Amino acid sequence: MGHRGRAFAAVLCAVAGLGLITTGADAQTTYHGSAARVSLAQPIVDIAATPTGNGYWLVASDGGIFNYGDAKFYGSTGGIPLAKPIVGMTPTPSGRGYWLVAADGGIFNYGTARFYGSTGGMPLNRPIVGMTATPTGRGYWLVATDGGIFSFGDAKFYGSTGGFPLNRPIVGMASTPSGRGYWLVASDGGIFAFGDAKFYGSTGGMPLVSPITGMARTPRGRGYYLVAEDGGVFAFGGAKFYGSAANAAPQPTVDIAISPSGGYYIATQFGAVHAATTSGEMIIDPALAARTPSEAISNEIVARINAERRARGLQPVSWDPALADAAKAWAGTMAMTNSFHHQDIGALIQSPPIAGRMGYLSENIYSGTGGAADSGTAHAALMGSDGHRSTMLTPELQYIGVGAACVNGQLWLVEDFSIGLGAPMPPNRPTPPHDPFVSSDGNGSRCL
């Protein structure tokens, strides 16, 4: 859909779907860098902190490793054909090695990490979603989405939810400092404690804006943190809340890692890392900060759209770099050619790296000059149009990419929305009402 603003407006529409078209931080917990501006071959799936807390590793689903601070690189499966994608990692107690685990339970060990066994090649009822090591580093546990536990080396079995009916799937686990117990966490934040692991509370039964994606225990094991997909953090027991990344750029959060000195790191699917310090400062990944007016406008547009969605009880849309690249390229094309029209959405959905990931695309476009060349005016104009508003407030939407171009004081804006391949497609429904219009300030960053 399109909108052009000066003192007038024009509306266009474009939709495609494959179903339709065949931590001032303290010394130990601080920001050390991220892959937020790296062109990732595959998304990030986990983060692990070093024993000192002065660094961390990120691992992607292809097993690519990104190391920061005092985290050392010991090897990866990046570039190696895998039977199943990597879903998690855990370092050795010394920090001089790490294990990677795949969805089939295949184990890849590097540095001083030793191989103690795996479920690779074994028939599993449900896929593996995570792992954690014993305090000695001579064993590890794997956990599946049904809460089934697989123990290797000196890791002991203390119980599981395998075979029990669960309201939501298990998404992660953490072991106690003694190694004589562990916690499992489900996507609704339900906690299951085994062995000497104590129950300190959960979000099970609470209404959540976004599902829980990971957990980490405190250094002494007297509490734990849960992190949600939107970056929200929940602290229980002796865990202290130092801030959340819920108001950061909307990238899906994958996990949380604890610094031994306190504080924590939050990682996103697209490589951003946020650091919460014990002094109470939440360091939002500086790599996400806008460096130009067009980047600032793009960031603000996403925040405004998600504010409208939250006001209506809809899930926020998550930033997708591939969509953002496509949107930015098309905004630049319109600006350079001085032409206001949609790109070929059907071709875009079948082009790499979008092909095979997205089952539906829709697009809004806008152009404005003078007093209309800012994020607030653009958003107000698009919200005021039935077609554009319907696009932004489609409940099934999952991802967004926004691109803006500022040329001679004129704003060219592209909003690309998508739904993952295999996810439910939007049915025909009435146009959503304009109110509540919650991001209505009409200001914001503008083209200079």
Side-chain angles (χ1 to χ4, degrees):
M1 300 198 169
H3 198 294
R4 194 162 192 163
R6 291 178 191 158
F8 63 89
V11 176
L12 301 173
C13 179
V15 178
L18 290 183
L20 305 175
I21 305 174
T22 274
T23 296
D26 59 70
Q28 305 230 332
T29 309
T30 189
Y31 176 79
H32 296 287
S34 78
R37 291 192 176 271
V38 175
S39 181
L40 297 171
Q42 295 294 329
I44 298 299
V45 295
D46 204 358
I47 182 173
T50 62
T52 66
N54 283 321
Y56 40 80
W57 297 272
L58 302 178
V59 61
S61 64
D62 62 355
I65 293 289
F66 303 85
N67 52 301
Y68 303 95
D70 65 358
K72 305 297 184 184
F73 178 78
Y74 296 106
S76 77
T77 61
I80 299 174
L82 298 175
K84 295 292 181 180
I86 299 297
V87 294
M89 74 175 298
T90 192
T92 61
S94 69
R96 298 191 182 101
Y98 42 73
W99 295 272
L100 311 184
V101 62
D104 61 357
I107 294 290
F108 304 87
N109 52 301
Y110 299 96
T112 58
R114 293 183 59 186
F115 179 78
Y116 295 104
S118 78
T119 61
M122 292 171 52
L124 299 175
N125 292 329
R126 294 290 186 272
I128 300 298
V129 289
M131 74 178 300
T132 190
T134 62
T136 65
R138 296 174 185 152
Y140 41 75
W141 295 273
L142 311 185
V143 63
T145 58
D146 62 355
I149 293 289
F150 304 88
S151 49
F152 300 93
D154 65 357
K156 305 297 183 183
F157 178 79
Y158 296 104
S160 77
T161 61
F164 294 172
L166 298 175
N167 292 328
R168 293 290 185 272
I170 298 299
V171 295
M173 74 177 299
S175 62
T176 61
S178 69
R180 299 189 184 101
Y182 41 74
W183 296 272
L184 311 183
V185 62
S187 64
D188 62 355
I191 292 290
F192 305 88
F194 298 95
D196 65 355
K198 293 184 178 181
F199 178 79
Y200 295 106
S202 77
T203 61
M206 293 171 52
L208 297 176
V209 174
S210 295
I212 298 299
T213 58
M215 76 174 300
R217 65 162 170 83
T218 60
R220 293 185 178 182
R222 296 174 183 168
Y224 41 75
Y225 297 92
L226 310 184
V227 67
E229 187 177 70
D230 66 352
V233 174
F234 304 88
F236 297 95
K240 295 183 179 180
F241 179 77
Y242 297 114
S244 83
N247 295 319
Q251 296 189 6
T253 295
V254 294
D255 208 352
I256 185 170
I258 301 302
S259 169
S261 63
Y264 40 83
Y265 301 105
I266 299 170
T268 77
Q269 190 178 84
F270 300 123
V273 176
H274 312 300
T277 76
T278 54
S279 61
E281 180 182 7
M282 188 71 209
I283 304 174
I284 300 301
D285 193 330
L288 299 178
R291 297 181 292 188
T292 64
S294 60
E295 286 188 358
I297 290 170
S298 297
N299 290 349
E300 290 171 16
I301 287 292
V302 177
R304 291 175 185 275
I305 290 171
N306 278 334
E308 307 296 348
R309 292 179 66 87
R310 288 190 179 97
R312 293 158 175 81
L314 303 178
Q315 288 289 323
V317 284
S318 297
W319 184 263
D320 185 276
L323 288 180
D325 287 346
K328 183 177 180 180
W330 189 247
T333 296
M334 288 196 298
M336 292 299 100
T337 60
N338 195 33
S339 58
F340 185 68
H341 61 94
H342 288 284
Q343 60 186 313
D344 186 339
I345 299 298
L348 179 60
I349 200 172
Q350 299 188 46
S351 65
I354 294 172
R357 293 198 305 120
M358 306 298 182
Y360 172 97
L361 289 180
S362 59
E363 181 174 88
N364 287 342
I365 60 175
Y366 170 92
S367 180
T369 61
D374 65 272
S375 69
T377 302
H379 180 68
L382 295 171
M383 275 294 290
S385 164
D386 286 355
H388 299 85
R389 188 169 66 254
S390 293
T391 297
M392 292 185 285
L393 301 180
T394 297
E396 291 79 10
L397 293 178
Q398 296 172 307
Y399 306 105
I400 188 173
V402 176
C406 291
V407 177
N408 298 324
Q410 182 167 358
L411 169 62
W412 302 84
L413 179 71
V414 178
E415 301 172 351
D416 284 333
F417 303 87
S418 75
I419 299 171
L421 191 65
M425 295 293 105
N428 291 325
R429 54 168 60 94
T431 299
H434 179 267
D435 293 323
F437 182 23
V438 297
S439 187
S440 56
D441 58 86
N443 299 304
S445 297
R446 66 174 50 253
C447 291
L448 303 178

